[in-house]
Amino acid sequence: MTLVSIAVVPKLHPLAQRASISMSDLSTERFILVEREVWPSWYDDILSKCRDAGFSPIVRQHVKEIQTVVGLVAAGLCISIVPRSTAKLHARDVAYVTIEGEAPRVEMSIAWRTDDSSTLVKQFLDTAAGYKKRR
């Protein structure tokens, strides 16, 4: 499954008031990104989309978890690019802004034991299939 990314900025950041932005609007910003070792294809796509927009991102910090990214953005330290689904996690001190055009994409996969026919696994797979249809 492929998910589109969005920008996350501090609530008082000038970009927070916009409905959407382009990748080039982020060219002078400082970024916090999830470490490449955690999500290599997504990290590489973020860098690639930045280069396509004519800049190399200024990465202030790398972290291991999306929740840490959002927390540091909320503290006003930087901006970031996160999967669109992250907008459901925390919205009090940050704004999520749609990226116009070719936004970075996140590849997601699901794995489970094929011999596990439990109700919990079935419900999880049904939920994931429904999420994919809504995208």
Side-chain angles (χ1 to χ4, degrees):
M1 172 177 6
T2 302
L3 306 176
V4 175
S5 298
I6 58 176
V8 58
V9 300
K11 196 138 202 138
L12 299 177
H13 192 285
L15 294 177
Q17 307 308 314
R18 300 195 28 203
S20 64
I21 58 173
S22 67
M23 286 297 293
S24 62
D25 290 328
L26 304 175
S27 65
T28 60
E29 300 293 334
R30 297 194 188 292
F31 285 76
I32 181 166
L33 297 176
V34 172
E35 293 177 356
R36 186 179 188 282
E37 293 75 25
V38 173
W39 222 331
S41 62
W42 181 44
Y43 185 92
D44 291 347
D45 198 38
I46 291 171
L47 295 185
S48 175
K49 295 299 191 288
C50 290
R51 279 191 301 275
D52 291 348
F55 72 99
S56 292
I58 303 163
V59 181
R60 182 173 183 171
Q61 188 171 354
H62 291 92
V63 298
K64 294 189 181 296
E65 297 181 350
I66 293 290
Q67 295 88 337
T68 305
V69 169
V70 175
L72 292 172
V73 171
L77 298 177
C78 50
I79 63 102
S80 192
I81 295 174
V82 296
R84 182 177 299 280
S85 58
T86 304
K88 296 176 184 170
L89 290 179
H90 180 320
R92 191 176 68 201
D93 298 319
V94 298
Y96 295 94
V97 185
T98 299
I99 299 172
E100 300 167 351
E102 280 296 312
R105 305 233 177 239
V106 182
E107 292 294 325
M108 301 289 289
S109 300
I110 298 173
W112 69 96
R113 293 186 312 264
T114 57
D115 63 340
D116 187 342
S117 58
S118 70
T119 302
L120 185 62
V121 169
K122 181 179 178 345
Q123 289 173 343
F124 179 78
L125 294 173
D126 289 346
T127 299
Y131 182 80
K132 181 178 180 182
K133 289 177 187 173
R134 289 190 304 268
R135 295 284 127 220

